Amino acid sequence: MKVLVIHGPNLNLLGAREKKIYGKITLAAINTELAALAQKHKAAIEFYQSNIEGEIVNEIQKARKKFDYIILNPGAYTHYSIAIRDAISGVRARVIEVHLSNIHAREKFRQTCVIAPVCLGQIAGFGKDSYRLALEHILSL
Ligand code: DQA
């Protein structure tokens, strides 16, 4: 099993950014936890972070041949990136969308999700565990 984790814009600032919403955990710490879980299950995992929409599109297009599943936190692109949505449906990537915060309980604009309809599902609101739950699901398949 090969899994790619894609973190979108501003997630590189985790640990310093809006701690009340996103917690104190850093992106590096999230990745380390996921890597340990993947290793336990003898699965391969890689990580990618970008603040740039087009780079995320490129990564999704490339991933189809290399990875079985993608865990994607699109950050703010969640709410309006038709380009990321089209990349997923265009290459028929198997994607689980994740969010640290419960976007459905926040501002109105965060309740619009243009990418989720082309994903296998969405996990939101469980902090770093949103990523873990997505990976555990993939590992159970
Ligand atoms: C987020 C939620 C988004 O609305 C926000 O723009 C983010 C983080 C989350 O993980 O909770 O950058 O994707």
Side-chain angles (χ1 to χ4, degrees):
M1 185 75 81
K2 288 186 178 166
V3 182
L4 174 65
V5 182
I6 301 180
H7 305 283
N10 298 306
L11 293 165
N12 54 316
L13 298 179
L14 282 182
R17 168 195 186 206
E18 298 179 277
K19 288 185 210 163
K20 280 205 179 119
I21 298 172
Y22 301 117
K24 286 188 198 152
I25 193 151
T26 63
L27 197 61
I30 290 177
N31 290 348
T32 302
E33 263 191 36
L34 294 175
L37 180 60
Q39 197 185 16
K40 214 169 109 184
H41 292 262
K42 299 189 186 349
I45 194 161
E46 287 182 29
F47 302 94
Y48 179 79
Q49 191 276 327
S50 177
N51 294 323
I52 300 166
E53 185 179 24
E55 287 185 353
I56 295 171
V57 168
N58 286 343
E59 211 54 33
I60 291 167
Q61 289 184 6
K62 279 192 281 172
R64 184 59 182 141
K65 289 203 180 110
K66 238 179 115 190
F67 295 93
D68 302 301
Y69 289 92
I70 297 173
I71 296 172
L72 170 67
N73 184 343
Y77 290 136
T78 304
H79 314 298
Y80 65 93
S81 178
I82 308 298
I84 293 177
R85 177 192 166 118
D86 284 352
I88 293 168
S89 48
V91 300
R92 280 182 277 135
R94 288 183 289 248
V95 179
I96 299 181
E97 182 178 306
V98 300
H99 298 282
L100 296 146
S101 64
N102 181 0
I103 52 175
H104 303 286
R106 296 180 63 193
E107 302 96 322
K108 197 100 200 119
F109 66 86
R110 290 187 208 276
Q111 292 164 29
T112 300
C113 297
V114 301
I115 299 171
V118 296
C119 294
L120 299 170
Q122 184 194 64
I123 302 172
F126 301 99
K128 68 182 169 71
D129 288 342
S130 295
Y131 288 92
R132 183 181 55 78
L133 291 166
L135 182 57
E136 278 179 353
H137 173 71
I138 290 166
L139 295 172
S140 76
L141 296 172

